[in-house]
Amino acid sequence: MYKISLITGDGIGPELSESAVSVLNTIHDKLDLKFEINQLQAGDLTLKETGHALPTETINAIKQSDVCLKAPVGESAADVIVVLRRMLDLYANIRPAKSYPNMSALRDDIDMVIVRENTEDLYTGKEFSLGDSAVALRIISEKASKRIAKYAFETAKQRDSMKKVTCVHKSNVMRVTDGVFAKACSDISKEYPDISFEQMYVDACAMNLIRQPHQFDVIVTTNLFGDILSDESSQVVGGLGMAPAANIGDEFALFEPVHGAAFDIAGQNIANPSSFLLSIKMMFDWLGKKNNDTKCFEVGEKLEAVIFDLVKNGIKTKDIGGDKTTTGFTKEITDKL
Ligand code: ATP
């Protein structure tokens, strides 16, 4: 019996969480995979109600679970997800960009993954004012860079694809910090002679994601660049509504959509739950690998296949050209499961 903790979030978070719980309950009842879900509070509303964006009870409950699902949170994201990533040492942020059928996307033959370093860079919160200026510390260590590079090469090795890692940085300008990152990736590449390795400046990468996205397999990059490039890559394959993500450490993992709380569409029952449901697919893959549980892999594959079939047949939410509501699309999924 797996213990899944679920942060229900802000904006469209509660709607996506409702969809996730409905799909998980169906999996539990119909596909015979046993788990329990513990719904937890964190984010803007929790901050308003309790004075803490990430209450101690939520942290303790997450630590007692096997895995965590997190719907998007709003303005307090830095006090929730950035803190959790560092606290639980979830050093690898995995953001796949994969083509699904029947999207109004730039191309329909994309299968890449962005492996983003998740604990350093400008996301450590070390910012301060200095006279009339503001300063942010960009921290890049050899240890964290080598660890994420290794993760990227292992990912490329396991993927049934081009076997290529592209290290993205800006070491011509940030010579010291990105110098460390680029060298760490280059050093690790020597341990993987069967995987081709290239380096690319982040501006060139942003352009190539539009110009020739099919040429990417695994992109490894630093925290901020990874955040920006993954929003871009998700748009290349059809939009944020289809973009899942994983935050992975050696012992624990947290799964969440790439996108934020999308307040502009909150409460309208039009959000695409696929980003969260495909994150659940990633969660089952991780649980399957960690526990050597083939049932988890089967369930994850089935969930993705159901979403694939629905969008292929034009059963889609508004963001990707359909007319299904969040609850309507969720019902189509649970019926098919
Ligand atoms: P953040 O900075 O917290 O990542 P953001 O301001 O970049 O947030 P998002 O919330 O990530 O904005 O989303 C950008 C836009 O994409 C939203 O305003 C919304 O219109 C659209 N969007 C995001 N997620 C979804 C979804 N699941 N379904 C439909 N549309 C979405």
Side-chain angles (χ1 to χ4, degrees):
M1 164 89 88
Y2 298 114
K3 284 186 183 166
I4 302 173
S5 46
L6 166 64
I7 293 175
T8 50
D10 303 309
I12 57 171
E15 293 162 73
L16 298 196
S17 296
E18 208 177 294
S19 166
V21 168
S22 171
V23 167
L24 284 168
N25 283 341
T26 307
I27 289 171
H28 180 279
D29 296 345
K30 305 279 181 207
L31 301 183
D32 197 31
L33 184 65
K34 296 300 165 223
F35 49 79
E36 59 183 30
I37 309 165
N38 187 8
Q39 296 197 34
L40 304 171
Q41 300 307 317
D44 296 1
L45 210 61
T46 312
L47 175 65
K48 213 166 145 193
E49 284 168 2
T50 69
H52 301 281
L54 184 60
T56 311
E57 306 86 76
T58 296
I59 297 172
N60 290 340
I62 291 172
K63 285 183 175 168
Q64 276 159 26
S65 65
D66 294 301
V67 69
C68 181
L69 286 171
K70 189 197 124 296
V73 298
E75 289 303 312
S76 53
D79 299 319
V80 179
I81 186 60
V82 179
V83 171
L84 283 173
R85 284 169 182 159
R86 285 171 61 79
M87 182 187 287
L88 302 169
D89 199 21
L90 306 175
Y91 61 90
N93 190 202
I94 311 304
R95 295 184 159 187
K98 189 167 160 180
S99 295
Y100 287 93
N102 208 3
M103 300 283 139
S104 45
L106 273 180
R107 293 183 66 109
D108 59 5
D109 58 349
I110 309 301
D111 185 6
M112 75 171 92
V113 57
I114 294 183
V115 176
R116 165 193 180 200
E117 203 292 318
N118 223 6
T119 63
E120 299 195 324
D121 195 0
L122 287 164
Y123 280 57
T124 55
K126 294 189 171 35
E127 281 194 301
F128 49 92
S129 301
L130 198 64
D132 69 348
S133 304
V135 179
L137 294 182
R138 183 167 196 253
I139 296 162
I140 306 281
S141 72
E142 182 188 330
K143 187 177 167 211
S145 302
K146 283 196 163 164
R147 183 164 71 161
I148 199 67
K150 212 167 178 57
Y151 197 98
F153 278 94
E154 285 298 323
T155 302
K157 201 163 119 183
Q158 282 158 31
R159 274 164 61 82
D160 189 15
S161 56
M162 272 180 270
K163 310 276 179 223
K164 178 163 101 174
V165 171
T166 306
C167 167
V168 175
H169 55 76
K170 189 73 180 167
S171 70
N172 52 339
V173 175
M174 291 178 283
R175 293 185 183 138
V176 181
T177 47
D178 267 356
V180 168
F181 187 75
K183 182 170 183 313
C185 292
S186 173
D187 287 350
I188 295 294
S189 75
K190 298 190 175 76
E191 296 171 21
Y192 294 86
D194 298 337
I195 308 230
S196 66
F197 175 64
E198 65 179 6
Q199 301 195 41
M200 198 175 283
Y201 293 134
V202 64
D203 43 346
C205 180
M207 177 189 63
N208 285 328
L209 277 173
I210 307 294
R211 199 169 66 160
Q212 43 193 24
H214 57 291
Q215 295 198 358
F216 289 106
D217 180 8
V218 176
I219 289 176
V220 62
T221 189
T222 49
N223 207 334
L224 179 61
F225 294 161
D227 196 16
I228 297 167
L229 293 176
S230 55
D231 262 32
E232 186 186 356
S233 62
S234 72
Q235 201 55 48
V236 171
V237 294
L240 284 166
M242 299 298 292
N247 298 272
I248 297 190
D250 288 332
E251 297 300 327
F252 196 75
L254 181 152
F255 298 82
E256 59 174 349
V258 167
H259 60 75
F263 288 107
D264 58 328
I265 56 165
Q268 297 175 37
N269 197 21
I270 56 170
N272 186 348
S274 304
S275 53
F276 204 20
L277 301 176
L278 292 168
S279 305
I280 290 175
K281 190 263 180 202
M282 292 177 83
M283 175 191 80
F284 281 127
D285 284 349
W286 181 82
L287 280 173
K289 204 168 150 192
K290 185 161 189 268
N291 300 290
N292 213 0
D293 184 347
T294 49
K295 184 84 191 168
C296 285
F297 289 116
E298 281 168 25
V299 164
E301 256 172 49
K302 179 142 195 163
L303 176 57
E304 186 182 31
V306 166
I307 294 172
F308 186 99
D309 269 357
L310 286 172
V311 295
K312 190 173 167 196
N313 291 313
I315 301 167
K316 305 188 288 184
T317 46
K318 193 175 155 198
D319 58 309
I320 49 172
D323 60 4
K324 285 282 163 195
T325 58
T326 312
T327 45
F329 188 66
T330 304
K331 177 142 191 343
E332 294 282 349
I333 295 174
T334 52
D335 286 352
K336 275 218 148 101
L337 282 172

